Every structure is written in C-alpha cells, then in structure tokens.
Amino acid sequence: MQLRRAMIVVAALLWLLTAVFVTVTVLPLSNSHLWWIRAMDFPRAQYVVAILPVLAVCLAFGFPGRWVVVALLLACLAWQVSRILPYTPIWPKEIRLAPEAAGAISVMSLNVLRENERYGDVIAAVQAEDPDILFLMEINDAWEQALEPLLAQYPSVLRHAKDNHYGLIAATRLPVHDLRIEYLTTDPTPTAFGELEAPGGQVFRFVGLHPQPPVPGVDTKERDAQLVYSARFARDSDVPVIVMGDFNAVVWSDVTRRFKRIGQYLDPRIGRGLLPSFDANHPILRFPIDQLYVTPDIAVVSFARGPYVGSDHFPMVARLRIDPELAATLNRAPDGVDSAELERLSEIVEKHRLELKAIDRTPR
C-alpha cells in the first residue's frame, strides 16, 4: 500500500514537472510582451539540463500515462535544444576567424553595475585589454568620477551619466567623424552612436545599446521596438557596422534574431559557444545577453569574455578588422528577410518613428 502511494506521488510529481516544462516552452511562442512570459526565453539551456533527469525517471518507472509524459518531455526537449544548438560548437560557424594583422581594432563593452564599487577591478580589466573602443553601461556620477584617470587616456569620450541604471560612456582613440547620444525609444534608455575611422582609413559605425530588461513592471514592447528600430537605423548606409552592448535579451530570443535579420548582421557566437555574460555572480543561472554583431564586411579576429570585475556582467571583448575583401572570404552570407516579414517590420519601424517624432526624439 505504501509503495503504491509512493508511486502515485511520484507520478503526480512527474506530471506536474511536465506541465511546468510545457508551460515554459509554449508560452514564449506567443507574441506577448508581458515581462514574465519574455523572461521564460532566458533559461533555455537550464531547461534542457532540468528536463533530462525527469525524462530518465519517466523511462525508468512505469505509471499511468507515462508515454504521454515522455512524448511531451521529448517535444519540449527538442524545441529547447533547437533554440540553443546554433550557439554550440557542433553548429556551422557564421564567422571564421581572421588572422591578427596591423590595423586590427579592439572593442570592449561592459555593464559595470551601478551599485558595484570595485572601480579598480574595472579599470584593471580595461587597461589589460586596452581597447580602441570602450563602451560602458550603468554609469552614474560616482562611476564617471572614478574612471577619470582611465578616460583621460582616450582623445574622444562621450559621457552620459545617469542615476537610473542607463547611463553610459563611449570612449575611443580612433579618429571620430561623429559621436553622440541618440534616444531610439520613448523610455529613458540612451544609445551611443559613432561614426569612426579605422587605422586603414575605412569609415565604420559603432552602436552601443542597453535597452530595458523584462522585469516586474517593465514589459518588453519598448525593448523590442528599440532593437528593431536601431537595427534599421544603424544600417541606413553602406558602411560597416559594429553593434555591442547589454541587450537584456538572450541571443536565441525572437527579438534578437529579428534584430540580426533586419540589420543583416553576423554573430560570432554561432558555432562557437554560449559565452554567457550574465549573471556573473551565479554560475548556474547565466545567460548570453551581452552581444556583439557585425555586418558581413567586418572580419573578426577574436571574441571572448573578460574577467570578473564585481559586476553582474562579464566584459565582452573582440578584435576586428574593417576589411571587406578579407571578410568576404571568411563570413557566411547573412540570413535573408522574406517580403512578408519585411513589410511587418517596416510597419513597426514606421510606427516607432512616429512615436519618437511625437516626443521630439527622431534620430538625426
């Protein structure tokens, strides 16, 4: 009798866990911008790890409806794996690495975490990398003041300290044609926009993004519109483009994949590994939300995660060559956008442009 009761409890628990896995798999398929649904996009790798032992238990023990549970778990597992598989070494690479050469530039992005007071660790990490382009997020007055000795080493510094987790600094030692703040959304999240010149004389664009995350009280409509709009905004000319920053969206999310398609960008993570960048303080719950995207006319020499600096984000660093001829031999052609999706996205972009115009935030 006790064994039977134990089996009933185990079966009920397996059904319950299966219901949870089905829920977190199915709900993100919707177009909902609700924060708690979009947050389910993040831990797909963790879902895979959690599903496997539950599936093993189901296969080992017989109980009523076992094969229904197994089928549901297999379906959930297959879907979750399909989303993260491109970001593993078994997937074909979009970008083959270029050799190091004179004229390569280094870029570094880091969300410093406003409350973090390990200023020296951040300065040391930046000095060790010595990037030609530095993009820092969550900069407030205290961080700006602490970083002054470091920023003094850069001829061009864009400062936009804020006390709301969305301040930023963009600094570069490259020749600058343009370096400014743009607001590509109706919420208070600025974007760094630069038109710079590589050592070989090639002009390119750098865009630094940090949209709002899906957290209680903040749904993702503005984040998603900002990413879609910025993808189009950055690509309104034929010059090469580098995009970096804390997207607050994982690489496999629909909005990030859409951003990539609209801008015709390439992702060095594809075929290499997840390189999870957040949360640096929790080794199990880490997600790849700090992104680097480049247009096909940019060759990537290296892309890596930097050291722990006290923030909840790791720095992301890369070396790049603005060399379209070389890039053409190394980079795969980006995924296309079909006409139906392009029309729908154009409507989103135009609607967002009108919303920005209404509050006098139309980008230059």
Side-chain angles (χ1 to χ4, degrees):
M1 182 65 71
Q2 289 182 345
L3 179 60
R4 183 182 178 189
R5 286 178 179 174
M7 291 301 297
I8 291 173
V9 171
V10 170
L13 180 59
L14 292 172
W15 272 103
L16 177 61
L17 289 172
T18 301
V20 171
F21 291 132
V22 169
T23 299
V24 298
T25 299
V26 172
L27 284 183
L29 298 176
S30 72
N31 293 322
S32 172
H33 293 288
L34 291 173
W35 71 268
W36 57 274
I37 292 180
R38 295 280 58 97
M40 295 177 187
D41 284 326
F42 283 64
R44 294 194 183 277
Q46 287 81 1
Y47 295 155
V48 170
V49 173
I51 288 171
L52 288 173
V54 177
L55 182 59
V57 172
C58 290
L59 291 172
F61 296 97
F63 59 90
R66 174 175 62 160
W67 296 112
V68 174
V69 170
V70 168
L72 290 172
L73 289 173
L74 286 173
C76 293
L77 182 65
W79 176 250
Q80 302 295 354
V81 168
S82 73
R83 298 292 279 196
I84 65 175
L85 198 60
Y87 307 96
T88 65
I90 66 174
W91 198 262
K93 296 175 176 62
E94 278 193 340
I95 297 172
R96 290 186 293 125
L97 297 181
E100 185 63 75
I105 63 172
S106 57
V107 295
M108 179 177 188
S109 72
L110 170 61
N111 183 328
V112 300
L113 181 62
R114 187 186 66 175
E115 295 81 6
N116 179 21
E117 296 183 351
R118 293 172 62 167
Y119 308 119
D121 289 351
V122 170
I123 291 172
V126 174
Q127 289 177 332
E129 184 62 30
D130 193 27
D132 297 300
I133 303 172
L134 174 65
F135 179 54
L136 301 174
M137 295 154 280
E138 293 204 21
I139 298 296
N140 59 7
D141 291 337
W143 266 103
E144 184 177 358
Q145 184 177 355
L147 293 172
E148 281 301 335
L150 175 69
L151 299 176
Q153 302 172 26
Y154 288 90
S156 300
V157 181
L158 178 67
R159 305 164 187 265
H160 196 66
K162 295 172 72 73
D163 204 33
N164 64 352
H165 289 98
Y166 295 101
L168 59 82
I169 285 175
T172 182
R173 61 171 56 97
L174 299 175
V176 173
H177 293 206
D178 190 11
L179 189 60
R180 66 181 191 266
I181 294 293
E182 291 283 3
Y183 277 85
L184 303 181
T185 178
T186 56
D187 63 33
T189 54
T191 296
F193 177 85
E195 194 159 274
L196 311 176
E197 188 176 313
Q202 308 94 331
V203 174
F204 67 96
R205 286 182 172 179
F206 175 85
V207 180
L209 288 169
H210 184 207
Q212 290 184 317
V215 293
V218 181
D219 294 332
T220 63
K221 183 178 181 182
E222 282 295 326
R223 180 202 69 178
D224 295 358
Q226 180 180 0
L227 289 175
V228 170
Y229 189 79
S230 61
R232 182 69 63 85
F233 170 69
R235 293 288 276 141
D236 66 357
S237 75
D238 293 330
V239 300
V241 180
I242 302 166
V243 183
M244 286 191 87
D246 171 9
F247 275 45
N248 276 313
V250 282
V251 288
W252 48 71
S253 67
D254 287 341
V255 66
T256 308
R257 288 149 58 108
R258 191 180 305 128
F259 172 92
K260 184 172 175 288
R261 288 197 304 273
I262 296 169
Q264 294 290 277
Y265 296 113
L266 300 177
D267 181 355
R269 272 189 173 95
I270 292 180
R272 289 194 167 81
L274 298 181
L275 281 179
S277 57
F278 170 90
D279 186 333
N281 297 309
H282 296 93
I284 296 176
L285 290 176
R286 284 184 182 169
F287 315 111
I289 68 173
D290 294 88
Q291 319 297 5
L292 167 68
Y293 290 107
V294 298
T295 45
D297 40 13
I298 294 176
V300 177
V301 177
S302 64
F303 177 56
R305 190 176 71 183
Y308 179 71
V309 293
S311 171
D312 51 356
H313 291 254
F314 288 103
M316 302 306 293
V317 296
R319 288 189 61 78
L320 310 169
R321 293 172 61 180
I322 314 298
D323 186 336
E325 290 186 5
L326 173 65
T329 68
L330 298 170
N331 296 341
R332 198 174 76 196
D335 297 332
V337 184
D338 62 53
S339 57
E341 182 180 24
L342 188 60
E343 182 178 353
R344 182 172 61 84
L345 294 174
S346 296
E347 292 174 358
I348 294 174
V349 168
E350 179 60 18
K351 181 181 178 181
H352 194 66
R353 187 188 69 80
L354 293 175
E355 290 175 350
L356 293 177
K357 185 177 181 181
I359 58 173
D360 197 26
R361 281 190 179 176
T362 305
R364 287 183 280 160

